[in-house]
Amino acid sequence: MNDRDFLNDVLATEKYITNSYSIALNEASHEALYQDLLAVCTEAQNEQRQLYNLMFKKGWYKLEQEDQQRLQQKYQQFYNYTTTQFPYNGGQLQ
């Protein structure tokens, strides 16, 4: 296993862990447990971000630039959805 594969595996694990902590945070009813989970979740998220930054810096995590017109279309699509489908529009109950 080379460095890229190892970091990719660790990054995937950190993503899984942070998703799991998010679910646990939503379900925690005890305040002290919630605070402990939140601290550990934040630490895991920071680790995930550091791994992502390292992989991106080394060129091992590549992103493709999206076409501006396509971004605008998606923005408009979701903006229209949020203004017509959500129960709160600008703080007002519809």
Side-chain angles (χ1 to χ4, degrees):
M1 186 180 248
N2 61 31
D3 288 346
R4 179 182 179 179
D5 293 339
F6 179 76
L7 286 177
N8 194 49
D9 186 53
V10 175
L11 179 60
T13 301
E14 287 292 339
K15 287 179 179 181
Y16 174 78
I17 288 170
T18 56
N19 285 331
S20 298
Y21 279 130
S22 180
I23 293 167
L25 285 166
N26 289 334
E27 301 296 327
S29 60
H30 189 273
E31 186 61 28
L33 175 61
Y34 175 83
Q35 292 301 324
D36 288 344
L37 285 171
L38 181 60
V40 175
C41 180
T42 301
E43 184 179 322
Q45 286 177 319
N46 290 338
E47 291 296 324
Q48 179 271 325
R49 186 64 182 178
Q50 288 178 359
L51 288 165
Y52 163 80
N53 286 337
L54 177 60
M55 290 186 71
F56 187 78
K57 180 180 172 183
K58 291 185 172 285
W60 296 342
Y61 200 111
K62 296 184 183 186
L63 302 173
E64 295 178 17
Q65 186 173 355
E66 185 61 82
D67 176 59
Q68 187 63 35
Q69 182 178 358
R70 183 159 163 77
L71 285 174
Q72 187 62 36
Q73 288 170 344
K74 289 296 178 184
Y75 171 81
Q76 194 63 46
Q77 173 189 348
F78 288 106
Y79 178 79
N80 289 340
Y81 179 80
T82 60
T83 58
T84 60
Q85 301 296 317
F86 289 162
Y88 296 100
N89 183 11
Q92 301 294 322
L93 183 61
Q94 295 181 350

